[in-house]
Amino acid sequence: MKVEKKICVIDDDEIYQMIMKRVIGKADVFAKRQSFYNAQDALESFQNLAHSLPDLILLDINMPGINGWQFIEEMRKKRSGFEKETRIYIVTSSIAQSDYTKAKSYPEVCGFLSKPVDVAQIVNIARTLEEE
């Protein structure tokens, strides 16, 4: 099952980015993949290419510069300029209950995943996108 959807990973950790590239590749369920090492670059790219937003973002919350929460707030401000909604999954190594609670307060956040994300999780997320 391959969905004609695009996935994006926003995470400042190079090793984690390499791992996710392999996991997403092994899952083989997304037509396109992109990644950013910081949220500012992602925001700028999305603003310039609003017509080609990813369908799904796997977002780290602890990053230098703009963190994951600030990224979500900026996406909210720019939402009217985007043609489609993007689903966001928070992906973090944080075990803080406050992060989990905060994630649930954002309607655009569809889930909270602990690192490392595995192939089965990517496949399950793709299935939910396919059902839309």
Side-chain angles (χ1 to χ4, degrees):
M1 167 210 64
K2 190 172 226 169
V3 294
E4 292 301 315
K5 306 282 184 180
K6 181 169 32 173
I7 185 171
C8 176
V9 178
I10 304 173
D11 196 302
D12 62 316
D13 184 331
E14 280 187 55
I15 294 171
Y16 187 72
Q17 285 276 11
M18 287 184 349
I19 291 168
M20 286 309 299
K21 183 176 183 179
R22 293 180 87 181
V23 168
I24 293 166
K26 282 184 180 181
D28 195 31
V29 290
F30 285 94
K32 295 181 182 174
R33 178 195 171 275
Q34 69 183 135
S35 63
F36 296 94
Y37 290 100
N38 67 68
Q40 183 63 46
D41 287 350
L43 286 168
E44 289 172 11
S45 176
F46 297 161
Q47 189 65 39
N48 293 333
L49 302 169
H51 62 280
S52 65
L53 283 174
D55 299 281
L56 172 68
I57 296 174
L58 300 180
L59 177 66
D60 184 23
I61 53 174
N62 296 313
M63 294 181 285
I66 296 175
N67 67 32
W69 306 123
Q70 293 165 321
F71 171 84
I72 294 170
E73 291 296 333
E74 288 300 313
M75 287 288 286
R76 280 181 157 183
K77 290 178 192 173
K78 299 172 193 287
R79 180 181 296 153
S80 63
F82 297 147
E83 291 181 9
K84 67 178 176 183
E85 289 290 320
T86 297
R87 299 178 87 177
I88 298 173
Y89 278 77
I90 301 296
V91 182
T92 185
S93 54
S94 171
I95 58 170
Q97 182 63 34
S98 59
D99 286 335
Y100 180 75
T101 303
K102 189 170 186 175
K104 290 176 80 174
S105 73
Y106 288 97
E108 47 279 275
V109 174
C110 300
F112 190 92
L113 304 170
S114 295
K115 288 181 179 178
V117 175
D118 62 31
V119 172
Q121 289 171 304
I122 297 297
V123 170
N124 287 335
I125 291 169
R127 282 190 185 124
T128 66
L129 291 174
E130 190 176 61
E131 294 167 0
E132 292 182 343

